Amino acid sequence: MHRIGAGATSGRCTTTEVGMTGIRSAGQMERFRELLLAERREAEERLLSQSEGITAVREARSDGSVDDEHDPDGPTMSQEWSQRTAVLHDVEHELADIDRALARIDAGTYGICERCGQKISVGRLEARPTATLCIDCARLVR
């Protein structure tokens, strides 16, 4: 396993965050599961909205009579398509991150830094429930 304080020469964290984490109880893990599931529901709603918007843009683009490239009053269909597909990609990525976090809960590895093996602080998990790195490792890889 990882040694506490093995950071300076090995590139690992130098703090344990023990004061900020405590022991992860079943209740805490269930609370994080519920938080992640709520975030997943919200992301699914955004995904549906963006998918519907993309369908509308696709239909409008296929209409040969639309000449939006010369419309000074709004974004072009190409701009709309680019924006919506970018948001769609972001939401899909967010859903994948949430699913991986839920899988870590099931596997018993949620809240453990993937880089140094130390606990990720509860405060960090509350702010970013899909976090895979403790704050120190996140700073190192930035």
Side-chain angles (χ1 to χ4, degrees):
M1 206 72 205
H2 299 283
R3 290 183 317 229
I4 296 173
T9 58
S10 68
R12 301 206 185 273
C13 295
T14 57
T15 64
T16 63
E17 299 179 315
V18 171
M20 294 181 275
T21 58
I23 295 172
R24 300 266 162 62
S25 67
Q28 281 180 315
M29 294 309 251
E30 189 56 32
R31 186 170 61 87
F32 284 117
R33 179 186 303 280
E34 291 303 318
L35 178 64
L36 287 161
L37 289 173
E39 286 194 10
R40 189 171 206 306
R41 285 187 294 274
E42 291 172 12
E44 285 173 334
E45 289 174 12
R46 289 194 315 276
L47 182 69
L48 179 60
S49 174
Q50 289 303 315
S51 295
E52 290 170 351
I54 286 175
T55 299
V57 171
R58 182 180 294 127
E59 289 170 359
R61 287 177 80 181
S62 67
D63 182 2
S65 65
V66 175
D67 181 17
D68 73 326
E69 299 299 323
H70 299 98
D71 180 6
D73 293 332
T76 65
M77 291 293 173
S78 296
Q79 288 172 318
E80 187 72 19
W81 179 266
S82 293
Q83 289 172 348
R84 288 191 178 271
T85 56
V87 171
L88 183 71
H89 175 73
D90 289 346
V91 174
E92 288 171 340
H93 183 73
E94 180 182 351
L95 283 167
D97 286 347
I98 291 168
D99 288 343
R100 284 190 292 272
L102 289 166
R104 288 192 304 276
I105 288 175
D106 292 341
T109 59
Y110 181 77
I112 304 297
C113 179
E114 291 180 349
R115 188 165 187 273
C116 72
Q118 299 297 319
K119 285 185 178 181
I120 300 171
S121 72
V122 171
R124 176 159 171 76
L125 291 172
E126 287 171 346
R128 187 178 294 264
T130 59
T132 60
L133 300 174
C134 68
I135 195 71
D136 289 336
C137 285
R139 286 182 185 135
L140 289 172
V141 298
R142 225 186 324 166

